[in-house]
Amino acid sequence: MRTWNNKAWFMVIPVVILVAFSAVIPLMTVVNYSVQDTFGNNQFFWAGLEWFNEIVNSERFHDALGRQFLFTFLILAIEMPLGVFIALHMPTKGWGRPASLVLMSLPLLIPWNVVGTIWQIFGRSDIGLLGHVLQLLGIEYNYTQNTLDAWMTIIVMDVWHWTSLVALLAYAGLQSIPQAYYQAARIDGASHWAVFRYIQLPKMSSVLLIAFLLRFMDSFMIYTEPFVVTGGGPGNSTTLLSIDLVKMAIGQFDLGPAAAFSLVYFLIILLLSWVFYTVMTNIEKQGD
Amino acid sequence: MAAIHLKQLAHSYLPHPAGPRDYALKRIDHVWEDGRAYALLGPSGCGKTTLLNIISGLLQPSEGQVCFDEEDVTNLPTELRRIAQVFQFPVVYDTMSVYDNLAFPLRNHGHSESVVRERVLRIAKMLDLSAVLKQKARGLTADAKQTISLGRGLVRENVAAILFDEPLTVIDPHLKHKLRMQLKRLHRQFNHTMIYVTHDQTEALSFADRVVVMYDGDVVQMGTPQELFERPAHTFVGYFIGSPGMNVLDARIEGNLAYVDGRSIPLAQGYDAIAGETVEIGVRPEFARLVRKEDAGEQGLPVTVKRIEDIGRFKIARTEFFGRELNVVIPEGTAVSDRANRVLFDAQHVNVYADGWIVEGEAA
C-alpha cells in the first residue's frame, strides 16, 4: 500500500517560489503586455495577436533579424575553426600550459561593457592605438561613419572576447583523448590530417557542440558590446535584435510591440538551439 | 616476421640519469626469436610498457640498439617499423565503420582500393568480423573493438611483430579465454613474433611458449613456463609465478646442506662458500610435504599448522616455522593427519639464492 505524505509539497515550496519570481512571473508579465495595448493611466485593452502580427511583418524587425543572422554566422564561422586551431597548438606541458590557460581566460573575465569600452577607445583614430596606427598607415578607418568599419570592429571585438571560450573547451576535449589513440595512429601510419579528422575531431565533437550552442545563443542575444562601441550605428547598420528591442521598449516605450518582439526573439533562439542540437546529435549518432 | 635483438638497451625518462635508480629499464641484452609467442610478465611499474614502447618505436631508448633481424631500427619511426600493437584500452576510430578501421593502415600506406578490399575481407573473415563490417566501430563491444585493433595490425602483410599491452584488461572474463584461444590460433597460423604484456600469470602461461619476467627494470628470467616454475632465477620470480608463491627462507649453506634456524635441510647439489649479503633457499609449496613427527625421522622443519585452505584441485596448508610463513600444497586425495607438524622438502627442488639471484651448485 502506498502512503501519501503531502508534507513533501511543503518542501518544494521554496523552489517553486524562487522559480516563479525568477522566471515564470517575469515571463508571464511579458506575455501579458504582448497581448494588450495601453494609452497610459494604467488602462489596458485587449489587443490579441495584433502586436505579433505587426512585429513579424515589420521591415524593421526583418532588417534587425537579418543583421543578427549575419553577425552570428560570421562570428561562428570565425570563432569555431579559430578556437579549434588554437586549442590544437596550445602547449600541453611545461610552464607554457598554465601561462596559455591564464592568457586565454583573461578576455572571458572582463565585463561586457568594459570590453565594449576597451574597443571603443582602441579603435578611435584620435587617441586609440588601433585607429591611430591604421590612420598612420594610410588606411581610412572610422567605425562611427563607415558601415564596413563598424562591422569589422564589432566582429573582431567578439572574436577577441569569445574565441578563448571555444579554444578552452576544445582544449579540454583534446586533453581527454588517451595517449593510446595517438600511438595507434602512429603505428597505423596516419598523417597529421588523418589524426585530426579521425581522432581529435570526433573526440572533440561533444564539447564543440556545447561551444557552438553557447556561442550561438550568446551571440544571438548580444547587446552590451556593440551598443557601447557603435550604439547601433552608423544609421541602423549595426542595430542587432536586442539593440533594436531596447530602443523600442525603453526609447519609444512601446511596451506591447516590444513584448511581442521579446517573445518572438525568445522563440527564435529556442527553436534554433533545438534544431542545432537535434541535428548535431543525430549526425553524431548516425550509423550506430 | 623477424627476430628482435635488444642490444645493451637501457632507458631513463630523466635527461641525465645518475645511477641505476634513475633507469626505468636497466641494461637489457636479449634476443626475441622469430615466430615465438612471448609473455612479458611483471608487476606494475617494472618497465614492461617502457620496453614494449621501445620495441614499437613510440619511445626512443636512451642507450643501446633495437634490431629486427639484422636491421638496426633504433632510429626508425614507428610507422616504418612494421609493428602492430594492441593497447590496454580498445582503440578504434569512432566515426569509421569496421571496414574503414581495418582499411585505415593500408590506405595510409597508399595501397589501391582493390588490395585494401581483398585484405580487409580476408582478415575480417579470419577474425569473425565479416558480419559487422558495415557497422560503426564505436557501437561494438570491448572485445570486438580489441579484435579490430588486432585486425588493423594483421592487415599489413609484412608485420615484423605484434605487441600486446595488457589487451584483455577490459574484457569480460568469459571472453578472455576465447580471445586468448583466437590469438593462439592466429599465432600458429601466421607464426608472427608476438609479445604479450600482462601482469596476470594465468594469461601469460596459457598464451606463451616463452615467459619473460621483469622486475624493477630488469629482465630477471626468460624461459619456458616449466623452467620458471621449477628453477626461478630470482626469488621474485618464485613469488610472482605460482599461487601460492615460493617459500623463501634465510639459510646458511654448507656443502650440500642448508641450515635454517639450526635445522638442516638436504640439498641436491653441493655449494662452495656463497658470496652475498643474504643467502636464502627457495622451495615451491608443491615440492614440500606435511607429515607427522614420527614419519619425518630426524629431518623436517617443525611447524605449527595455522589453517588448511581447500581451493578445489588441491589444499594449501598455511603453516608457521618460528615466525616465518611456510606454505605446503597438499595434492587432491591426500589425507593430512591432525598431528602433522613437520615439513619436508624435495631436495631436487630446493634452490639456493644469494642476494635474490639463483646460485648454481655442483652435483654432489
Side-chain angles (χ1 to χ4, degrees):
Chain A
M1 210 182 94
R2 293 175 73 174
T3 36
W4 291 94
N5 187 351
N6 290 323
K7 265 189 228 161
W9 291 106
F10 287 106
M11 308 294 180
V12 186
I13 284 176
V15 179
V16 172
I17 293 174
L18 200 71
V19 173
F21 275 97
S22 68
V24 181
I25 295 176
L27 188 66
M28 289 322 290
T29 314
V30 175
V31 173
N32 196 24
Y33 279 130
S34 73
V35 291
Q36 298 193 60
D37 195 3
T38 176
F39 302 105
N41 290 334
N42 219 7
Q43 285 180 303
F44 288 90
F45 308 93
W46 177 253
L49 293 178
E50 201 180 310
W51 298 133
F52 288 94
N53 242 324
E54 193 181 307
I55 286 298
V56 169
N57 293 314
S58 80
E59 203 171 312
R60 175 179 170 179
F61 180 75
H62 291 168
D63 289 350
L65 188 62
R67 284 190 287 269
Q68 186 65 65
F69 272 120
L70 180 65
F71 177 77
T72 296
F73 171 80
L74 285 174
I75 67 103
L76 283 175
I78 296 171
E79 288 175 15
M80 295 302 292
L82 185 61
V84 171
F85 179 82
I86 292 172
L88 287 172
H89 292 87
M90 272 167 75
T92 51
K93 47 179 175 255
W95 61 269
R97 186 182 135 98
S100 63
L101 287 178
V102 170
L103 276 178
M104 301 289 293
S105 313
L106 279 181
L108 302 175
L109 300 176
I110 302 175
W112 298 19
N113 58 347
V114 177
V115 172
T117 312
I118 289 173
W119 282 83
Q120 206 259 354
I121 296 171
F122 190 46
R124 277 171 64 168
S125 48
D126 49 353
I127 55 167
L129 186 63
L130 174 72
H132 196 63
V133 169
L134 287 175
Q135 201 85 7
L136 289 180
L137 291 173
I139 299 166
E140 289 266 344
Y141 169 78
N142 188 339
Y143 62 80
T144 55
Q145 314 248 311
N146 184 309
T147 303
L148 187 65
D149 291 350
W151 268 85
M152 299 250 275
T153 310
I154 62 170
I155 295 282
V156 171
M157 173 174 66
D158 198 81
V159 168
W160 177 83
H161 195 182
W162 289 112
T163 305
S164 303
L165 179 74
V166 180
L168 289 174
L169 283 170
Y171 183 74
L174 283 173
Q175 292 301 296
S176 68
I177 303 175
Q179 272 303 313
Y181 277 86
Y182 294 112
Q183 298 179 336
R186 276 174 67 186
I187 286 167
D188 291 338
S191 61
H192 283 294
W193 168 249
V195 169
F196 174 70
R197 171 69 186 79
Y198 296 114
I199 297 176
Q200 291 170 322
L201 201 54
K203 292 276 170 203
M204 274 192 293
S205 61
S206 51
V207 284
L208 285 183
L209 171 64
I210 300 287
F212 183 90
L213 283 177
L214 283 177
R215 281 318 296 134
F216 163 73
M217 290 187 291
D218 268 356
S219 68
F220 215 80
M221 297 187 285
I222 193 166
Y223 173 76
T224 319
E225 299 145 279
F227 182 76
V228 172
V229 178
T230 65
N236 272 332
S237 62
T238 55
T239 301
L240 303 171
L241 278 179
S242 58
I243 297 177
D244 202 20
L245 174 63
V246 172
K247 275 185 188 168
M248 188 183 286
I250 313 237
Q252 299 158 230
F253 217 69
D254 285 335
L255 286 187
F261 189 133
S262 311
L263 287 174
V264 173
Y265 191 3
F266 170 61
L267 288 177
I268 291 175
I269 294 180
L270 197 66
L271 180 75
L272 285 176
S273 298
W274 179 77
V275 168
F276 284 141
Y277 183 79
T278 315
V279 168
M280 287 178 179
T281 45
N282 273 340
I283 289 174
E284 253 185 70
K285 278 198 199 116
Q286 225 170 48
D288 271 3
Chain B
M1 277 165 268
I4 300 169
H5 300 259
L6 304 179
K7 296 179 181 167
Q8 297 290 314
L9 193 73
H11 185 73
S12 171
Y13 288 101
L14 304 174
H16 304 293
R21 290 200 138 276
D22 290 346
Y23 280 89
L25 273 189
K26 296 165 190 160
R27 201 78 36 218
I28 287 178
D29 220 1
H30 279 288
V31 179
W32 307 60
E33 287 165 43
D34 188 6
R36 281 246 156 86
Y38 289 91
L40 189 52
L41 195 62
S44 303
C46 71
K48 292 172 302 201
T49 302
T50 305
L51 181 58
L52 208 63
N53 286 345
I54 286 176
I55 293 175
S56 62
L58 294 171
L59 203 63
Q60 195 77 14
S62 359
E63 292 161 37
Q65 285 177 305
V66 181
C67 298
F68 292 172
D69 290 332
E70 297 311 310
E71 188 195 359
D72 184 352
V73 297
T74 319
N75 296 313
L76 214 56
T78 303
E79 55 272 27
L80 298 178
R81 281 199 190 187
R82 303 181 289 125
I83 284 285
Q85 189 163 350
V86 179
F87 295 90
Q88 189 169 5
F89 295 98
V91 176
V92 293
Y93 303 106
D94 288 344
T95 50
M96 293 188 204
S97 66
V98 174
Y99 180 94
D100 290 336
N101 258 280
L102 294 175
F104 190 59
L106 295 174
R107 287 176 179 156
N108 287 333
H109 286 98
H111 289 281
S112 72
E113 277 305 306
S114 59
V115 175
V116 170
R117 187 171 175 75
E118 185 255 316
R119 288 204 202 152
V120 168
L121 292 182
R122 185 152 48 86
I123 293 297
K125 193 172 171 202
M126 204 173 332
L127 295 174
D128 292 329
L129 290 172
S130 304
V132 293
L133 275 178
K134 288 209 178 69
Q135 278 184 40
K136 285 256 155 120
R138 177 175 48 181
L140 300 175
T141 54
D143 56 300
K145 285 182 182 174
Q146 280 301 49
T147 314
I148 294 170
S149 320
L150 174 62
R152 280 206 314 270
L154 292 175
V155 285
R156 288 152 50 201
E157 298 252 285
N158 56 354
V159 175
I162 307 181
L163 314 180
F164 299 89
D165 193 356
E166 307 193 19
L168 302 184
T169 311
V170 294
I171 308 295
D172 286 344
H174 69 282
L175 288 171
K176 283 189 181 183
H177 178 74
K178 189 186 138 212
L179 282 181
R180 275 205 301 268
M181 291 303 111
Q182 194 173 28
L183 279 183
K184 274 196 107 148
R185 203 186 72 223
L186 288 169
H187 181 240
R188 276 199 296 272
Q189 199 169 348
F190 289 105
N191 242 7
H192 282 122
T193 309
M194 288 186 172
I195 301 178
Y196 188 105
V197 167
T198 176
H199 55 239
D200 179 340
Q201 47 165 313
T202 328
E203 219 170 285
L205 299 178
S206 68
F207 167 78
D209 39 43
R210 286 285 185 288
V211 178
V212 181
V213 182
M214 285 190 73
Y215 175 59
D216 200 16
D218 263 321
V219 169
V220 287
Q221 193 168 10
M222 194 169 191
T224 61
Q226 194 186 357
E227 283 165 5
L228 261 69
F229 184 75
E230 289 183 356
R231 285 191 73 72
H234 191 274
T235 46
F236 171 75
V237 181
Y239 289 127
F240 200 70
I241 309 275
S243 175
M246 187 169 70
N247 296 308
V248 177
L249 301 167
D250 287 327
R252 187 162 52 81
I253 309 292
E254 279 175 18
N256 58 358
L257 283 177
Y259 292 94
V260 178
D261 268 340
R263 297 281 167 161
S264 71
I265 295 164
L267 304 170
Q269 293 173 310
Y271 295 83
D272 295 331
I274 294 172
E277 275 177 32
T278 58
V279 177
E280 293 153 315
I281 57 166
V283 195
R284 291 235 171 249
E286 287 81 355
F287 300 125
R289 276 181 301 135
L290 189 60
V291 296
R292 288 183 303 177
K293 189 181 174 188
E294 17 323 3
D295 298 334
E298 287 300 296
Q299 293 183 330
L301 303 179
V303 296
T304 344
V305 177
K306 291 281 167 195
R307 60 181 191 277
I308 307 259
E309 291 168 14
D310 192 339
I311 61 164
R313 279 173 299 152
F314 53 84
K315 297 190 183 93
I316 301 169
R318 307 276 184 191
T319 72
E320 203 179 275
F321 165 67
F322 292 115
R324 300 181 192 82
E325 201 181 290
L326 255 184
N327 297 319
V328 178
V329 163
I330 303 160
E332 203 174 22
T334 312
V336 186
S337 157
D338 291 344
R339 292 184 296 118
N341 57 2
R342 287 288 184 280
V343 167
L344 289 176
F345 296 136
D346 180 352
Q348 285 296 332
H349 290 106
V350 180
N351 299 318
V352 176
Y353 297 90
D355 294 334
W357 295 93
I358 196 162
V359 183
E360 295 297 332
E362 286 154 22

